[in-house]
Amino acid sequence: MKAYRDLSPSPRTIMTPGPVEVDPRVLRAMSFPILGQFDPEFTALMNETMGMLRQLFMTGNEWAFPVDGTSRSGIEAVLASLIEPGDKVLVPIYGRFGHLLTEIAKRCGAEVVTLEKEWGFVFDIEEIVSAIKQHRPKLVAIVHGETSTGRMQPLEGIGQVCREVDALFVVDAVATIGGVEVATDRLLIDAVIGGTQKCLSVPAGMAPITYNKRAESKLQGRKKIERGLMLDGGEDDPLLRPIQSNYLDLSQLQDYWSPDRLNHHTEATSMLYALREGLRLVLEEGLEARFARHRANEVALIAGVEAMGLRLYGDPACKMPVVTCIEIPEGIDGESVRSMLLDHFGIEIASSFGPLKGKIWRIGTMGYSCSKRNVLLTLGALEAVLLRHGHKLDAGLGLQAAMDAYGMNAAVHS
Ligand SMILES: *Cc1c(COP(=O)(O)O)cnc(C)c1O
């Protein structure tokens, strides 16, 4: 028999836009014994999780539950369930994940209209509003925080116009939920997808979502067709357009999460424990305090990076608070810097995709990873590694600026 070594992941400081470090309480929650999926003790935990998700999404929606699978499963469940083949869908794209929304919408058979913004910027609300009025789509899908470019799209005013033209408004808040306010009801968003492994600091493997009555009525309409199909033995009537996916059919998932508990998949027991504990941590900290912590660490990180003489990438007016993008200085091998940070300091920062590959680093300050300790360690290590790569900088300035931002002085050690 081949002997495999014991699992022993190296300790890491994870400063990427996900996955990030997980609170030990969440890890412990994952190690508890399994309960059956219809055990009243377990269904009570499922219901509590729904209640906590409503608070996280700042919504009075009846439906707020996790889809089992990574965040993209939540995106796909929402789009596959709300888009009927032939529907016109509008996607304003300002980074990589806008392209993902487009691709999934196309696979759902949508006639997709896109707007594109140069990477590093976001849309003026007026541009989106006038496109909605012009194209009158059935659904508008947009990313709230684009981790690829570190930009955050303001959403005020879009929901109102969607209602005027009877379009559903869908938001990918995977990277912002739990770190930045996502006011589902106030912004009139019909369906929101969150992520676990970013600002919620729970391992990847679930996608918390919420949707309102407008979205639900679309589902219910399609469910009638689906029932008809099943009764008729699945006849090929081109006018019948059931939800193509079984696993990601929100009408079935909803029945499973409803008091009826209609059997669908087997709920991912240990992930549900993890999500519940992660949400408990969020609510114990308080949403406002949590957002403030994310802002404070962002401010210190930016102060340190700029004092080091590095330049931030992108339009500062729409910077995403939980991701800081830094231009890689001329003549520096970005990947070599990242490797030295990981191999010798145990610190992981991210590169980027597509047009930004090799041009920027991305530092995440998300969830449990978003701490004074991590920011200071990262700045110190980055400074040292840049010096080792021959980059000229005034050693120490970055850390000192961050310490100033935290209000640290020699007399008060807090
Ligand atoms: C990370 C991310 C996703 C994809 O999430 P997975 O969990 O990897 O499926 C989607 N959208 C945005 C904005 C993200 O940052």
Side-chain angles (χ1 to χ4, degrees), residues 176-374:
T176 43
I177 199 78
V180 179
E181 181 179 276
V182 179
T184 304
D185 289 0
R186 182 171 63 72
L187 295 169
L188 305 177
I189 308 172
D190 297 303
V192 184
I193 304 100
T196 52
Q197 77 272 31
K198 306 199 179 177
C199 298
L200 285 187
S201 268
V202 168
M206 272 187 165
I209 61 165
T210 187
Y211 54 89
N212 61 15
K213 292 284 173 216
R214 294 182 82 225
E216 189 184 354
S217 67
K218 178 98 183 190
L219 293 180
Q220 297 300 3
R222 299 186 76 188
K223 192 156 105 180
K224 284 199 198 94
I225 296 170
E226 207 170 82
R227 292 237 172 84
L229 261 187
M230 285 192 259
L231 292 176
D232 301 347
E235 241 166 78
D236 256 351
D237 182 339
L239 291 174
L240 300 183
R241 294 178 294 186
I243 295 169
Q244 283 296 312
S245 174
N246 168 295
Y247 189 69
L248 300 174
D249 178 342
L250 283 187
S251 70
Q252 292 195 40
L253 288 171
Q254 176 181 307
D255 286 342
Y256 178 56
W257 282 85
S258 81
D260 297 341
R261 300 275 169 218
L262 294 187
N263 192 19
H264 183 248
H265 65 297
T266 308
E267 187 48 20
T269 319
S270 308
M271 274 306 296
L272 195 276
Y273 295 164
L275 178 61
R276 182 180 173 282
E277 194 62 18
L279 291 169
R280 229 158 61 93
L281 280 158
V282 169
L283 298 178
E284 277 171 19
E285 182 174 9
L287 289 180
E288 278 312 318
R290 192 173 176 93
F291 303 153
R293 168 166 63 86
H294 282 83
R295 280 194 301 273
N297 286 305
E298 179 209 18
V299 165
L301 177 64
I302 292 176
V305 165
E306 289 187 327
M308 241 184 263
L310 297 173
R311 287 175 41 162
L312 296 184
Y313 162 83
D315 179 1
C318 53
K319 185 186 173 300
M320 193 180 171
V322 296
V323 181
T324 298
C325 297
I326 302 169
E327 293 181 359
I328 298 172
E330 275 291 310
I332 297 290
D333 177 348
E335 285 308 287
S336 171
V337 168
R338 285 199 330 119
S339 302
M340 193 178 270
L341 282 171
L342 188 67
D343 296 343
H344 300 276
F345 295 81
I347 296 173
E348 184 183 6
I349 66 169
S351 52
S352 194
F353 318 98
L356 294 177
K357 195 165 190 293
K359 299 228 166 67
I360 64 169
W361 293 303
R362 296 176 306 146
I363 299 185
T365 37
M366 294 179 158
Y368 190 66
S369 283
C370 178
S371 65
K372 184 197 288 183
R373 172 181 183 273
N374 279 3

Side-chain angles (χ1 to χ4, degrees), residues 17 70-73 75 97 100 143-148 172-175 195 197-198 204-206 320:
T70 69
S71 321
R72 137 181 353 223
S73 75
I75 298 173
F97 289 105
L100 176 67
V143 174
H144 184 214
E146 255 296 350
T147 28
S148 59
D172 168 350
V174 169
Q197 77 272 31
K198 306 199 179 177
M206 272 187 165
M320 193 180 171

